[in-house]
């Protein structure tokens, strides 16, 4: 069917006037010059669907405008894509599914045109009109179906809402893969080409998703979302894969497509079920989709818009964790609609060994111990203090006092060696009796009473390696909210020095998220995980040993996780001091070299971070 459709001469399309893309900066309007300036479908004697367009170079300071000028495909790029796809050995048909209901006329036309003008021509657009009451909708859809045989239109006799309408569109799809397009959104001209390119490299892919941005009613591009690779626990906190989503049709059919009753979050529910059938999930780190923002869209993120969508998401996540045998409760993140927290039920309150290396500084250690014993509500824990050569009388008295006050839960063991954090902790593990190991700095103070419970909830899960927390400086700014590889040449802390109240980049600080590493200042893992990776690497005496520990877990197939609801103060470097001498800097560089020799590929590409975000700072700003 598609061969014959593509072999016929195609009409030449007129200029698409509506799709000049604009952004605003400091009150000035800047035009990304006519990205869809001339869109032609060529005859089969030339590469199909060549788009002649190029963004203008912006002269303003808006970071995303500058990024667009650098990365948005130019006409030469698009022509090259059209030529390249001719030698693709694999050219799967991609069915673009689009449910429609009373779409504003302009938005509907622009959405359809964005499919028609794809560089990649092997697509079909499957439109299901959900009994629109606006008469122009039927007229527009019929007109486009008559113009292009790749456009299929089904008119539903009764309004059934988006899930049923999407299933109706899915029923007329014949492609090997299905792309989802909302009726008022836009695909970039290279969107399906990039999907086909990935499929030629990874034909085993079952699900593909891309980065996205938003486009307002004035066609102003803004709010880019540069995403991580597949992070299953981050996905339980928010539907971050979203647009553009591509799915193998056979799996969609296997799971029964979309489910009615999840309207507004039907895609979220779909992907939760889809990813239970496959782990072959790929991410294209490019903006391939413009999500339309207008008063009635969920993209606005306001409480008054489709609140049922958020309720449906909570329901979908709850059902998903229960299907997976992980019972728990799902709640929305206060003030941040569309974001969720999963608190798992603890199956067995096994012993937690809290391990604290220390040397003198009795007042600081006492503050840490007071916060543990007075605030912790977890019923089964022990504290193992490793004394690394303390000499002050106050410290000896502190050990004696706590041994008397907590004889069954407090233990202190001496290990008088030159400071070596991994050796101290590895030794502590040999003395610990717990099934869970909680490594804790002596310069920390507990804030949340259920901190141990929350960490055990995650550490008990077979898929989880290291569990980390939100650590704050004493001025209530962030010290740690996860570790990002590649920042500062090796690794850096997410959102360091941001206010503790910040949501962070796309609510990263306020949601449970996967990271490649978390800080050893407060890190929990199961003993069997720790043993399986050989514990801490003692060659990394001071720096990066926690990062190395976490990366060894990742290499074993475990996922590391950050919990925003576990909060501690971390009075960083008051024990050892800062890295402010030539000797300390030389040692840091030596240990950095060791880490690089082991994990350069993770430093080059952190799967939990986007290559389009900065490596020079810890603020998630755009990498220009």
């Amino acid at each position: 069917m598609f061969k014959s459709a593509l072999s016929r001469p195609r009409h030449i399309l007129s200029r698409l006037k509506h799709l000049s893309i604009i952004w605003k900066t400091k009150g000035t309007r800047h035009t990304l010059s006519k990205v869809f300036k001339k869109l032609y479908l060529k005859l089969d004697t030339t590469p199909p669907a060549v788009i002649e367009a190029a963004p203008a170079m912006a002269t303003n300071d808006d970071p995303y405008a500058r990024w667009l000028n650098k990365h948005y495909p130019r006409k030469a790029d698009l022509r090259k894509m059209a030529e390249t796809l001719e030698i693709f050995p694999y050219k799967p048909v991609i069915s673009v599914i689009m449910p429609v209901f009373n779409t504003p006329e302009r938005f509907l036309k622009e959405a359809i045109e964005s499919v028609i003008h794809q560089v990649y021509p092997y697509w079909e657009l499957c439109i299901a009109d959900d009994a629109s009451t606006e008469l122009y909708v039927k007229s527009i859809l019929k007109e486009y179906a008559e113009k292009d045989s790749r456009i299929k239109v089904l008119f539903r006799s009764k309004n059934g809402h988006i899930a049923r309408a999407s299933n109706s569109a899915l029923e007329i799809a014949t492609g090997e893969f299905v792309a989802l397009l909302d009726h008022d959104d836009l695909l970039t001209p290279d969107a399906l080409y990039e999907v086909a390119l990935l499929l030629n490299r990874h034909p085993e892919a079952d699900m593909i998703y891309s980065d996205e941005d938003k486009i307002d009613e004035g066609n102003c591009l803004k709010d880019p979302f540069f995403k991580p690779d597949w992070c299953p626990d981050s996905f339980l906190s928010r539907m971050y894969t979203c647009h553009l989503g591509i799915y193998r049709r056979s799996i969609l059919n296997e799971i029964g497509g979309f489910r009615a009753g999840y309207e507004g979050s039907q895609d979220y529910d779909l992907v939760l079920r889809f990813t239970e059938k496959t782990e072959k999930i790929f991410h294209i780190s490019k903006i391939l989709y413009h999500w339309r923002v207008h008063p009635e869209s969920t993209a606005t993120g306001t409480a008054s818009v489709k609140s049922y969508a958020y309720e449906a998401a909570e329901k979908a996540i709850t059902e998903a964790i229960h299907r997976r045998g992980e019972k728990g409760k799902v709640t929305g993140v206060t003030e941040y609609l569309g974001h969720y927290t999963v608190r798992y039920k603890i199956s067995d309150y096994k012993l937690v060994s809290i391990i604290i290396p220390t040397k003198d500084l009795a007042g600081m250690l006492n503050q840490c111990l007071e916060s543990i014993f007075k605030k912790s509500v977890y019923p089964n824990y022990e504290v193992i203090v490793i004394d690394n050569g303390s000499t002050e009388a106050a410290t000896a008295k502190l050990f004696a006092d706590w041994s008397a006050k907590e004889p069954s839960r407090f233990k202190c063991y001496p290990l008088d060696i030159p400071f070596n954090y991994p050796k101290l902790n590895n030794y502590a593990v040999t003395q610990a009796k717990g099934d869970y190991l909680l490594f804790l700095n002596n310069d920390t103070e507990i804030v949340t009473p259920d901190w141990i419970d929350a960490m055990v909830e995650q550490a008990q899960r077979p898929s989880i390696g290291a569990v980390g927390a939100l650590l704050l400086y004493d001025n209530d700014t962030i010290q740690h909210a996860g570790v990002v590889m590649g920042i500062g040449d090796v690794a850096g802390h997410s959102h360091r020095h941001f206010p503790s109240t910040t949501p962070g980049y796309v609510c990263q600080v306020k949601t449970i998220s996967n990271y490649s590493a978390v800080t050893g200042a407060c890190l929990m893992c199961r003993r069997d995980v720790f043993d399986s990776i050989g514990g801490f690497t003692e060659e990394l005496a001071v720096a990066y040993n926690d990062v190395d520990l976490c990366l060894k877990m990742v290499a074993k197939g475990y996922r590391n996780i950050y919990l925003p609801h576990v909060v501690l103060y971390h009075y960083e470097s008051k024990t050892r001091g800062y890295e402010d001498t030539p000797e300390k800097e030389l040692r840091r560089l030596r240990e950095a070299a060791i880490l690089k020799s082991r994990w350069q590929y993770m430093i080059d590409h952190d799967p939990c971070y986007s290559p389009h975000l900065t490596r020079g700072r810890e603020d998630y700003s755009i990498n220009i």
Side-chain angles (χ1 to χ4, degrees), residues 327-328 343-350 352 378-379 436 450-460:
K327 294 184 178 180
R343 296 295 302 264
Y344 293 95
K345 181 179 180 181
I346 296 175
S347 59
D348 188 352
Y349 286 83
K350 295 178 180 178
V352 174
Y378 190 84
Y436 297 105
D450 66 341
W451 69 297
I452 302 176
D453 308 64
M455 297 183 87
V456 168
E457 289 173 19
Q458 296 288 347
Q460 71 180 347

Side-chain angles (χ1 to χ4, degrees), residues 185 255 433 438:
D185 295 344
I255 65 174
K433 298 177 182 177
L438 204 174

Side-chain angles (χ1 to χ4, degrees), residues 41-257:
L41 289 177
K42 303 291 187 180
L43 302 182
D44 277 326
T45 54
T46 60
V50 175
I51 303 177
E52 298 180 314
M57 295 301 293
T59 57
N60 59 80
D61 295 326
D62 179 65
Y64 189 42
R66 291 161 60 197
W67 186 94
L68 285 167
N69 282 332
K70 184 177 180 181
H71 294 281
Y72 206 93
R74 302 172 188 275
K75 62 181 179 180
D77 302 323
L78 298 169
R79 282 198 295 266
K80 185 67 176 178
M81 292 175 194
E83 294 167 2
T84 302
L85 70 83
E86 290 300 296
I87 62 172
F88 282 5
Y90 180 38
K91 300 176 183 176
V93 172
I94 299 172
S95 299
V96 180
I97 299 300
M98 190 170 77
V100 167
F101 179 73
N102 284 349
T103 318
E105 182 174 357
R106 174 193 148 203
F107 294 163
L108 179 59
K109 288 181 177 180
E110 290 180 0
I112 296 172
E113 294 282 1
S114 77
V115 179
I116 290 173
H117 300 126
Q118 289 296 300
V119 171
Y120 186 77
Y122 305 102
W123 53 262
E124 61 177 3
L125 176 56
C126 303
I127 302 174
D129 175 61
D130 197 24
S132 291
T133 56
E134 297 288 353
L135 297 180
Y136 65 79
V137 173
K138 179 175 287 190
S139 175
I140 290 171
L141 296 182
K142 284 184 175 180
E143 178 184 351
Y144 274 104
E146 291 171 0
K147 286 181 179 180
D148 196 316
S149 60
R150 294 171 296 177
I151 298 176
K152 302 178 177 180
V153 181
L154 179 150
F155 294 99
R156 290 172 52 84
S157 59
K158 181 180 179 182
N159 181 266
H161 303 295
I162 191 167
R164 291 187 179 91
S166 296
N167 283 337
S168 293
L170 186 59
E171 288 172 3
I172 60 175
T174 60
E176 190 174 351
F177 292 91
V178 170
L180 305 185
L181 175 63
D182 287 351
H183 61 167
D184 49 5
D185 295 344
L186 302 173
L187 301 181
T188 64
D190 58 333
L192 300 186
Y193 169 86
E194 291 292 348
V195 171
L197 179 63
L198 186 142
L199 286 169
N200 274 270
R201 292 169 174 164
H202 297 284
E204 74 278 13
D206 289 324
M207 172 179 160
I208 303 165
Y209 65 96
S210 76
D211 298 344
E212 62 188 270
D213 63 12
K214 293 187 175 71
I215 184 168
D216 65 17
E217 292 177 280
N219 280 351
C220 172
L221 290 183
K222 58 185 181 180
D223 301 336
F225 182 10
F226 298 116
K227 305 173 185 178
D229 293 343
W230 177 238
C231 295
D233 303 292
S234 300
F235 189 75
L236 289 172
S237 297
R238 55 199 179 277
M239 200 315 188
Y240 79 86
T241 61
C242 208
H243 307 303
L244 172 68
I246 307 285
Y247 310 93
R248 190 176 291 275
R249 187 165 63 90
S250 60
I251 297 179
L252 287 179
N253 291 336
E254 179 185 350
I255 65 174

